[in-house]
Amino acid sequence: MIGFIRQRPLLTVIVGLILLVILVSSFPIIPETKQAVVVRFGKPVRVLNRYAPGRPIGAAGAGISWRIPFAEQLVWIDKRVQDVDMQRQQVISTDQRRLQVDAFARYRIVDPLLMYIRAGNEQQLTAQLRPILGSEVRNELGRIEFATLLSPERQGIMDSVRSSLNRIARQYGVEVLDVRIKRTDLPDGAPLEAAFDRMRTAREQEARSILAQGAKQAQIIRAQADADAAKTYAASFGKDPEFYDFYRAMQSYQVTFVGDGQDKASPTTIILSPQNDYLKEFSGHAH
């Protein structure tokens, strides 16, 4: 053997390098944050450092492993939480508002074997999840009004989106952890101005309705109060006619000089003699 090495040093170095490459490739090192699908001639056969719910990253499973050189390939899959951004798109709410929505989802690959079978790799998985996310967000937001997106109810809506998306993502070996809206805008230009006009009109109609209801309630209360007062004054007329005359005179003065409480008194100047019967209550005695 030593003689062979001395006679053919170049060939020996080449053979040594080949053996070293085979040895190194036979015992791959699996990072703590990665899981690997072992593919033998295009067919997945096992998973190295597979994700397990509740087991922290860095637990048993990572480190040196083995494979058959050249016959088995490794497909690396991240164990950590990843995210996918939805393409910005237009959504029409139930009150016919056109919205430009940006959203994203956070997910983890929990079944790498199924993910490899359905998607092949992480890049293709992201490409397939992105339109699904956009479709679910568009469907859910299309069932609500625009104002709901500005209220605490939005969290419940996003939870519904996450549940719907998760049912589909499970087919790819993926668990969806969260779905959030990054930004919601009204379209620029004429649609935006039209939306503002509709919002302003709606608020004005609401204000008019509230004022009308208030005026109606005020009239009901005032009518009831006047009816009660009339009963009281009618009863007092038989007991003290002079007091009743005095009260009626005060009412007339109020309407004439101050107003009836609903409309202001007209700016009319009245010139009367101090001895006029209408002003008898101001003279301190009745004529």
Side-chain angles (χ1 to χ4, degrees):
M1 178 64 69
I2 296 177
F4 179 82
I5 295 174
R6 289 178 178 177
Q7 293 177 2
R8 297 177 177 83
L10 181 59
L11 180 60
T12 301
V13 171
I14 294 175
V15 172
L17 290 175
I18 293 175
L19 293 176
L20 180 61
V21 170
I22 294 175
L23 180 64
V24 171
S25 62
S26 300
F27 300 96
I29 299 176
I30 311 300
E32 297 178 351
T33 59
K34 297 287 186 179
Q35 47 192 337
V37 177
V38 181
V39 181
R40 183 183 302 165
F41 299 116
K43 180 180 179 180
V45 293
R46 67 183 186 276
V47 178
L48 304 178
N49 194 28
R50 183 170 187 157
Y51 169 80
R55 187 174 69 181
I57 294 179
I64 298 178
S65 186
W66 66 274
R67 66 167 178 166
I68 302 175
F70 306 111
E72 295 181 343
Q73 306 295 325
L74 298 183
V75 178
W76 298 104
I77 299 174
D78 207 318
K79 293 178 68 175
R80 296 168 295 184
V81 175
Q82 304 179 63
D83 61 79
V84 55
D85 288 326
M86 181 190 76
Q87 294 179 349
R88 184 179 176 89
Q89 59 183 291
Q90 182 172 273
V91 176
I92 302 178
S93 61
T94 55
D95 50 354
Q96 300 304 307
R97 304 286 176 82
R98 296 180 181 273
L99 312 173
Q100 298 292 335
V101 179
D102 283 339
F104 71 94
R106 299 171 65 245
Y107 68 92
R108 176 185 280 121
I109 300 173
V110 296
D111 191 339
L113 189 59
L114 181 59
M115 191 282 294
Y116 173 78
I117 295 173
R118 292 296 178 87
N121 54 52
E122 294 183 18
Q123 290 73 25
Q124 294 182 14
L125 173 65
T126 300
Q128 294 185 36
L129 288 180
R130 182 173 289 113
I132 297 174
L133 171 62
S135 176
E136 292 301 320
V137 170
R138 185 170 57 253
N139 291 340
E140 290 296 329
L141 297 187
R143 299 173 184 169
I144 63 173
E145 295 183 354
F146 171 70
T148 307
L149 290 176
L150 308 178
S151 68
E153 297 179 18
R154 183 173 73 173
Q155 183 57 44
I157 298 168
M158 301 317 298
D159 289 341
S160 179
V161 174
R162 182 191 62 79
S163 298
S164 300
L165 180 61
N166 198 35
R167 286 193 295 269
I168 302 175
R170 284 287 184 179
Q171 302 174 13
Y172 295 86
V174 170
E175 177 186 10
V176 179
L177 305 177
D178 193 14
V179 178
R180 296 294 179 91
I181 293 178
K182 293 191 295 184
R183 185 170 180 176
T184 303
D185 295 326
L186 292 169
D188 295 332
L192 181 61
E193 296 298 330
F196 285 152
D197 290 340
R198 288 195 298 268
M199 293 172 65
R200 186 183 301 109
T201 301
R203 295 300 178 267
E204 290 175 352
Q205 291 177 348
E206 184 179 359
R208 286 194 294 268
S209 177
I210 293 173
L211 290 174
Q213 289 294 330
K216 180 180 179 181
Q217 292 296 325
Q219 290 178 354
I220 294 173
I221 294 173
R222 186 179 296 108
Q224 184 63 43
D226 290 343
D228 294 341
K231 292 180 181 178
T232 302
Y233 300 141
S236 67
F237 176 73
K239 298 179 181 180
D240 191 348
E242 293 184 359
F243 171 77
Y244 187 76
D245 289 341
F246 171 76
Y247 171 75
R248 296 297 294 174
M250 292 299 102
Q251 282 188 316
S252 177
Y253 295 155
Q254 178 181 4
V255 173
T256 302
F257 301 115
V258 179
D260 59 0
Q262 296 182 355
D263 299 325
K264 293 182 178 180
S266 58
T268 303
T269 302
I270 301 176
I271 302 176
L272 297 173
S273 169
Q275 287 76 35
N276 188 280
D277 289 341
Y278 183 68
L279 302 178
K280 63 182 179 180
E281 299 298 340
F282 289 99
S283 64
H285 64 276
H287 296 287

